[in-house]
Amino acid sequence: MVKQVHLAAHFPGVNNTTVWSDPAAGSHIEFDSFKRFAQTAERGFFDFLFLAEGLRLREQKGRIYDLDVVGRPDTFTVLAALAAVTEHLGLTGTINSTFNEPYEVARQFASLDHLSQGRAAWNVVTSWDRFTGENFRRGGYLAQEDRYERARTFLQTVNELWDSWSGVSVVADKESGRFLSEAGPGRFRHEDRFFDIEGQFNVPRSPQGRPVIFQAGDSEDGREFAAQGADAIFSRYATLTEGKAFYEDVKGRLAKYGRSRDDLLILPAASFVLGDTDAEAEELAHQVRRAQVSPQTARNFLEQLWNTDLADFDVDGPLPSFDPAVEGDLISKGRASVRQLAKDPVALANEWRAKAEAEKLSARDLVIEVTGRQTFIGAPATVADRIDEFVQQDVSDGFILVPHITPDGLAPFVDQVVPLLQEKGVYRTEYDGTTLRDNLGLKYP
Ligand SMILES: Cc1cc2nc3c(=O)[nH]c(=O)nc-3n(C[C@H](O)[C@H](O)[C@H](O)COP(=O)(O)O)c2cc1C
């Protein structure tokens, strides 16, 4: 059978992908928004809904960065509520392995798996920075180089807790008065550098045995962590060349952990803009980009690379002629800023200046170019073809779609692109099974 496309939907938390100023945009915190979004995804037979995590309001120049959607409600609260208004949709929550405890996280996901009848997934992230840690008792106690070591033992411990009820079931036999099939379930003892815990886990084995595990991190350590223990990766590489390279790299790491290539799905984040024709979609995409990158957003983005106050800088003119400040604390806090990603800020500034000059771009146009976010642009048939092509060529196993309008921006995709993928025979016309593992084609532990 031809390779099948997996689709999922990301309800954006805090970012400038979401055009909150659009007249069609709704609330980002009211339950009705989450519900409409989830039900649209389920109508399109999506595998799951995805929530990212951000544990502190971001800052720039010592002030709250309030150009994006600010704040987000707690993951478990949202996902548990969504479990009640959906039937098939997987519920994936991003929860970090640094500021939490295995017992608590294992309980929360096992509970969500029970409540949703087997639809829970955990995206394990390793945020470790002191700025985020200040919100917690632990502060900045974890060195960056230890983040995956803690994640590895954290996940191992959580798996031990989930497995601690193996072979024990709740029989609740009213006749005999016997409640459990075996005595003494849930016993665990775990000791390593990070955890020294023992006791009895108090949630019976959940429908998926172990909820599905996602990973989202890009370093060498992160890729190894995923290859060793994750069921899926939420990646940032949705283009042909980068996506293929990432796909090959990570899938190539599985064998050494005794795993096959099908044991780990690669699902990049992707955005889309649809139009009646390709030309109309291109025009619309241009407008969306200008709404996503307002003059203030462009200025703030440039401040992140230059690490300099550019309050008076005209973004309709050329890029700053002076070089980024290399020394000193970063003025942007709590976001994966371009400065954290750029190894050599001066080299990157030079590269951007050369590009802007060659292509006659203003500073804002340049920001729009280098932060390009629309993965799929075109008429529905063009987008369906492209998605299919990417999946067949192993750029990915599918995509986690991030619409620029929430909660209703997903509906055009579901109504116009999904039927075309179905016609091609690369997308389901009904859910494969009852659990998220069934639908993702993943083994049960
Ligand atoms: C596509 C992608 C999505 C991520 N989403 C989140 C997130 O929602 N919350 C978070 O705290 N960190 C998130 N991260 C950050 C990672 O969990 C990790 O902390 C960071 O990437 C550093 O790990 P690395 O060095 O392996 O990349 C994300 C990373 C990637 C690549």
Side-chain angles (χ1 to χ4, degrees), residues 15-36:
N15 60 53
N16 71 308
T17 308
T18 312
V19 184
W20 53 263
S21 56
D22 192 288
S27 165
H28 295 93
I29 196 159
E30 283 171 18
F31 182 60
D32 187 57
S33 287
F34 289 101
K35 183 176 156 189
R36 273 178 23 214

Side-chain angles (χ1 to χ4, degrees), residues 52-54 94 123 125-127 147-148 216-219 222 234-236:
E53 179 181 72
T94 300
N123 179 32
V125 292
T126 57
S127 327
R147 69 200 188 286
Y148 278 106
D218 197 16
S219 59
F234 175 48
S235 100
R236 57 164 68 102

Side-chain angles (χ1 to χ4, degrees), residues 41-196:
E42 191 164 75
R43 182 157 62 76
F45 302 105
F46 280 33
D47 287 296
F48 57 92
L49 175 142
F50 184 92
L51 294 181
E53 179 181 72
L55 292 171
R56 182 160 179 179
L57 288 178
R58 307 188 299 195
E59 292 179 11
Q60 191 145 319
K61 294 186 285 185
R63 290 194 302 273
I64 298 301
Y65 186 91
D66 63 356
L67 284 179
D68 300 349
V69 181
V70 168
R72 56 176 118 205
D74 167 67
T75 296
F76 287 107
T77 312
V78 172
L79 295 184
L82 289 178
V85 296
T86 52
E87 204 180 329
H88 299 282
L89 191 67
L91 304 164
T92 304
T94 300
I95 296 288
N96 79 84
S97 57
T98 300
F99 303 111
N100 295 297
E101 292 294 327
Y103 190 89
E104 197 178 12
V105 170
R107 277 192 83 218
Q108 287 165 317
F109 278 108
S111 303
L112 183 64
D113 209 38
H114 277 290
L115 285 174
S116 64
Q117 294 173 307
R119 296 187 278 136
W122 171 25
N123 179 32
V124 187
V125 292
T126 57
S127 327
W128 52 272
D129 60 291
R130 178 176 293 278
F131 179 71
T132 304
E134 283 170 3
N135 272 338
F136 298 89
R137 175 171 57 87
R138 292 183 181 281
Y141 82 110
L142 191 69
Q144 181 177 3
E145 57 272 23
D146 286 340
R147 69 200 188 286
Y148 278 106
E149 182 56 27
R150 183 177 160 101
R152 234 182 303 274
T153 63
F154 195 115
L155 179 57
Q156 190 189 341
T157 311
V158 167
N159 282 334
E160 283 165 18
L161 295 171
W162 286 336
D163 291 348
S164 67
W165 277 73
S166 290
V168 184
S169 51
V170 176
V171 288
D173 184 350
K174 292 180 183 169
E175 295 290 306
S176 66
R178 191 160 174 230
F179 191 70
L180 295 176
S181 64
E182 309 283 333
R187 178 149 293 288
F188 67 88
R189 161 110 198 93
H190 185 100
E191 188 186 350
D192 62 34
R193 192 180 143 208
F194 291 103
F195 309 108
D196 182 2

